[in-house]
Amino acid sequence: METEEMQKQNNIDLEPFYQVLEDDPKLLEEALEILLGMVNFEPKSIKKLVLIIKEDSRNLYNEIVELSKSDQNQGNTPSCCGGH
C-alpha cells in the first residue's frame, strides 16, 4: 500500500527536468556522468540501459554501434592518425 508521499513522488512531472538538460549541455554532461557512475556500481543496470536506448532511441543506439565498430577497426592507431 503506497503512502500519499510515495504517490506524489511517482507523479512528479519530469518534463521541466528534461527541458533543462536539453537546454544546458553542461548539466546534461554532468547528469550522464552521474548515470554512468550509477551503472558502474550495478552491472545489471548497463544491460537495462542498453535495452532502453535500443528501444526508445534507435538513432542513438545505431550511432553508438557505429562508433564501436569504428573504434574496433582503428585498433592501435594513434589518435593523431585515426581520422577523428
Side-chain angles (χ1 to χ4, degrees):
M1 187 172 172
E2 287 187 337
T3 65
E4 189 174 318
E5 185 63 31
M6 291 175 84
Q7 288 175 346
K8 285 180 184 177
Q9 289 176 353
N10 289 335
N11 293 330
I12 293 173
D13 181 13
L14 296 176
E15 190 60 35
F17 175 78
Y18 296 140
Q19 189 62 49
V20 168
L21 293 180
E22 189 175 303
D23 293 343
D24 189 334
K26 275 193 154 297
L27 286 177
L28 177 59
E29 184 178 337
E30 187 175 335
L32 290 173
E33 286 177 15
I34 291 169
L35 177 63
L36 290 174
M38 292 168 53
V39 167
N40 283 334
F41 290 115
E42 185 60 44
K44 292 179 183 179
S45 295
I46 191 68
K47 290 180 182 180
K48 291 178 186 177
L49 181 60
V50 169
L51 290 174
I52 290 170
I53 291 172
K54 186 176 183 180
E55 291 173 11
D56 293 345
S57 185
R58 192 64 180 186
N59 290 339
L60 175 59
Y61 177 80
N62 290 338
E63 185 67 25
I64 292 169
V65 170
E66 287 303 313
L67 287 172
S68 174
K69 288 179 184 177
S70 174
D71 287 347
Q72 289 174 359
N73 290 339
Q74 289 178 7
N76 293 330
T77 305
S79 61
C80 68
C81 307
H84 288 284

